[in-house]
Amino acid sequence: QVQLVESGGGLVQAGDSLRLSCAASGRTFSNYAMGWFRQAPGKERESIAAITWSSTSTYYSDSVKGRFTISRDNAKNTVYLQMNSLKPEDTAVYYCAAKFNPSRTVLSTLIYEYPSWGQGTQVTVSS
């Protein structure tokens, strides 16, 4: 499996931006679809963004669409989540996940589809 390490979380004010990074190692990164998930206190983990290995297809949940952007750099084995116009309800632990998926277009968006997970990074948005 691929190993994942998230970074870039922190404490920001509403309206600010953050960019999360997820560095992968251990396997050929370009064979993997990637996803970003988050879990707020007392809530279930939710899928918020996903991207195919080729960046051909992306997915966003309604809660982040238009504010967050997922991207990847296969040469750097890294996937990013640019978060703009942050809101207090975006406060959560953010996780990246990887799934072997050679499809250019078929996305993986469900939690159970992903066998490899990072340890998470905390994002706190104050009002």
Side-chain angles (χ1 to χ4, degrees):
Q1 293 187 354
V2 63
Q3 287 76 49
L4 304 170
V5 179
E6 303 97 334
S7 61
L11 172 63
V12 297
Q13 293 188 334
D16 285 351
S17 297
L18 274 177
R19 188 176 80 157
L20 304 183
S21 299
C22 172
S25 62
R27 290 291 187 268
T28 304
F29 182 66
S30 58
N31 288 335
Y32 285 77
M34 301 296 295
W36 282 99
F37 300 78
R38 68 185 182 186
Q39 187 165 18
K43 295 188 177 181
E44 293 186 354
R45 192 170 299 189
E46 64 170 329
S47 172
I48 58 172
I51 189 167
T52 54
W53 74 266
S54 59
S55 302
T56 302
S57 297
T58 56
Y59 156 82
Y60 298 97
S61 67
D62 288 343
S63 60
V64 307
K65 194 174 298 182
R67 300 187 299 123
F68 291 11
T69 302
I70 188 171
S71 62
R72 64 190 294 160
D73 185 338
N74 288 340
K76 295 183 178 179
N77 290 355
T78 302
V79 63
Y80 304 98
L81 185 68
Q82 178 66 43
M83 306 187 294
N84 298 331
S85 302
L86 282 161
K87 305 175 181 180
E89 51 262 44
D90 294 318
T91 295
V93 178
Y94 284 70
Y95 300 89
C96 67
K99 176 187 185 295
F100 180 81
N101 183 354
S103 172
R104 289 178 175 268
T105 58
V106 178
L107 287 163
S108 301
T109 63
L110 302 177
I111 292 172
Y112 72 83
E113 295 184 274
Y114 286 85
S116 299
W117 291 80
Q119 81 290 346
T121 186
Q122 177 70 47
V123 173
T124 303
V125 184
S126 63
S127 58

